[in-house]
């Protein structure tokens, strides 16, 4: 097995996961953290099968695939059970505003955290004028696009980008938390505003790059060692603290 998609879901289970590889026989078994998958279907040519996840515990878990002849393959840290709303893009479009694209179903509200995994049929497109969420996580190989025209995605928690954010200059990501918000990974934000009363911490190796416009007010921005804050135009009326090895441009 070389690829599974998607790689995250709810602890309640019930997510259909696609597996791609070769040499899989009809009696294959799959477990996650020791719990067997449900309703496995194997394509006759042995290069594809799918199965329904069982209920599980929050965390990142191995998947073990066992062929009928006893051969096994362990996919290390292959699947994440998460309490976040997970975007699957299964409704024929990538619309953020389509409740059927999310698991659990429903468009995220201000108390939700959101996760975008790789390998979904329709990558996510933020097509609302504005929305508020807690944490945003873009997984490795995943993407989030903010559609054209002025749109604002407000984040009160952490931002983690191991994939790709695509947006027009008219789009804004607003950090408005009152506690500590952490920016992980490298992101070129279209425009960014920081309006909460807390602290935004750019983690080691993290980059907050805003080439079009930035407004940093009512806040403290901490650039950790190895982190970077890069602003082309805009205003800073708060406090910026730079740790050893951190940079600001």
């Amino acid at each position: 097995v070389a690829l599974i998609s998607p790689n995250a879901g709810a602890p309640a289970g019930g997510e259909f996961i696609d597996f791609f590889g070769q040499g899989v026989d009809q009696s294959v078994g799959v477990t996650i953290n020791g719990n067997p998958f449900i309703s496995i279907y194997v394509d006759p040519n042995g290069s594809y099968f799918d199965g329904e996840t069982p209920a599980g515990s929050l965390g990142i878990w191995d998947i073990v695939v066992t062929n009928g002849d006893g051969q096994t393959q362990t996919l290390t840290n292959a699947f994440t059970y998460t309490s976040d709303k997970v975007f699957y893009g299964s409704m024929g479009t990538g619309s953020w505003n389509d409740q059927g694209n999310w698991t659990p179903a429903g468009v995220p509200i201000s108390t939700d955290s959101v996760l975008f995994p790789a390998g979904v049929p329709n990558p996510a497109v933020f097509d609302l004028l504005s929305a508020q969420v807690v944490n945003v996580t873009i997984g490795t190989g995943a993407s989030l696009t903010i559609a054209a025209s002025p749109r604002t995605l407000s984040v009160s928690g952490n931002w983690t980008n191991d994939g790709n954010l695509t947006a027009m200059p008219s789009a804004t990501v607003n950090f408005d938390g009152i506690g500590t918000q952490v920016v992980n990974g490298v992101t070129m934000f279209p425009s960014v505003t920081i309006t909460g009363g807390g602290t935004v911490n750019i983690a080691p190796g993290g980059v907050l790059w805003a080439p079009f416009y930035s407004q940093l007010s009512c806040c403290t921005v901490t650039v950790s060692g190895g982190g970077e804050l890069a602003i082309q135009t805009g205003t800073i009326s708060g406090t910026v603290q730079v740790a050893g090895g951190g940079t600001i441009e």
Side-chain angles (χ1 to χ4, degrees), residues 2 31 34 84 93 119 133 145 149 166-167 187 197 199 204 226 228 233 235:
T31 62
D84 296 353
T93 71
V133 294
T145 297
S149 82
T166 301
T187 303
T199 297
E228 181 179 349
T233 61
T235 60

Side-chain angles (χ1 to χ4, degrees), residues 1-4 19-22 73 75:
V1 175
L3 175 67
I4 72 168
F19 295 79
F20 301 90
Q22 57 185 358
Q73 179 183 358
L75 307 173

Side-chain angles (χ1 to χ4, degrees), residues 44-143:
N45 67 18
S47 62
Y48 163 84
F49 64 98
D50 66 19
E52 183 180 350
T53 59
S57 301
L58 292 174
I60 302 174
W61 304 104
D62 296 348
I63 290 179
V64 178
V65 179
T66 304
N67 247 349
D69 60 5
Q71 294 185 78
T72 64
Q73 179 183 358
T74 299
L75 307 173
T76 304
N77 296 334
F79 190 84
T80 301
Y81 281 118
T82 176
S83 58
D84 296 353
K85 276 191 175 288
V86 181
F87 188 91
Y88 280 114
S90 55
M91 298 303 292
T93 71
S95 173
W96 177 298
N97 199 34
D98 189 329
Q99 65 176 357
N101 280 329
W102 297 92
T103 298
V107 177
I109 60 176
S110 62
T111 55
D112 288 325
S113 293
V114 294
L115 169 64
F116 302 94
V120 298
N122 299 285
V125 178
F126 180 73
D127 50 0
L128 299 174
L129 292 179
S130 64
Q132 175 82 56
V133 294
V134 182
N135 302 314
V136 173
T137 302
I138 305 173
T140 302
S143 67

